[in-house]
Amino acid sequence: VLEDLRSPAILEALVASFVDPSTSLAARECSALARLLALVSVDDSWLGVPRGGEDGLATAIVAAEELERLYQAVHHPTHSWLVCMGNVTRLQHHAVTSFVGLRWLSTIVLSKRIASHDLLLRMSQPMLFVFLRGAVDAHPLQARSVLGVLEHMLTELPYLELRGTALSEGLMGDVVTGSRLQSAQQHRLASGCMIA
């Protein structure tokens, strides 16, 4: 059964339902889906080393707990996407959690349904690149997934409606509060505070 669940189509559907903001899971359902994703991930294709027995089970339990925290972070009702990104960045200890976070980034945060200007603002945030770098540093086998996110970003750039917008002014805004910052230095400081 676990081998069937590891098929790309089924795994992608499980991950999509886990991060989809329109899907609201009860605590028990969230826990069950997190455990399922963690169990499916305990093999060499995710972690880089074969696991099994009690060590594999212990890894799966801890990964499931981290996945539950990720679910709470991305489904928080009042946090902006950037605050969620900061929380998700801290949840990359297990490869499966990092992978699910990358899927959340590419399908929700950088969705094609986001307005062009907002999408460009999201793509310009340093936190996004901190997250991507952290995923590769913690789990080198996820480099292909990170490259997929970057490729998604590059393919969206030509389609963004940039005519008539003051990009240099707009990109210096704070996405969290919607306010304009006075300088690039303040923008870097605000980004640093988000990371901390």
Side-chain angles (χ1 to χ4, degrees):
V1 172
L2 285 178
E3 290 304 318
D4 292 334
L5 290 173
R6 288 182 180 123
S7 76
I10 293 174
L11 187 59
E12 197 64 42
L14 289 171
V15 171
S17 67
F18 195 73
V19 298
D20 184 0
S22 65
T23 304
S24 180
L25 299 174
R28 185 174 178 185
E29 295 166 338
C30 175
S31 180
L33 187 52
R35 284 193 312 265
L36 180 63
L37 285 170
L39 284 172
V40 167
S41 72
V42 179
D43 74 344
D44 60 347
S45 68
W46 284 82
L47 302 171
V49 292
R51 304 260 182 177
E54 289 183 28
D55 187 34
L57 183 59
T59 301
I61 290 169
V62 175
E65 291 169 357
E66 189 176 49
L67 280 166
E68 288 182 56
R69 288 192 304 275
L70 183 133
Y71 179 86
Q72 296 304 320
V74 301
H75 286 84
H76 196 281
T78 59
H79 287 167
S80 71
W81 75 270
L82 195 55
V83 172
C84 291
M85 173 79 65
N87 293 332
V88 171
T89 300
R90 293 179 192 94
L91 297 171
Q92 293 186 343
H93 302 299
H94 294 88
V96 65
T97 310
S98 181
F99 176 77
V100 172
L102 288 168
R103 286 296 182 255
W104 170 75
L105 176 66
S106 63
T107 60
I108 306 301
V109 174
L110 300 176
S111 171
K112 294 179 181 187
R113 293 174 284 202
I114 304 292
S116 299
H117 187 263
D118 290 338
L119 189 58
L120 188 59
L121 281 172
R122 289 178 179 202
M123 288 181 189
S124 70
Q125 294 300 312
M127 178 63 74
L128 184 139
F129 297 99
V130 168
F131 174 70
L132 294 174
R133 177 67 189 260
V136 172
D137 287 348
H139 310 286
L141 294 177
Q142 289 187 354
R144 182 176 288 185
S145 295
V146 170
L147 287 174
V149 172
L150 292 170
E151 182 180 2
H152 170 73
M153 291 169 62
L154 290 173
T155 58
E156 289 302 309
L157 284 177
Y159 302 106
L160 297 176
E161 298 173 16
L162 303 177
R163 291 178 226 111
T165 60
L167 290 179
S168 62
E169 178 185 338
L171 290 179
M172 288 303 187
D174 183 6
V175 178
V176 177
T177 64
S179 65
R180 302 277 182 219
L181 298 175
Q182 280 71 26
S183 69
Q185 177 64 23
Q186 287 178 324
H187 186 71
R188 283 191 292 278
L189 287 172
S191 296
C193 290
M194 293 298 300
I195 294 171

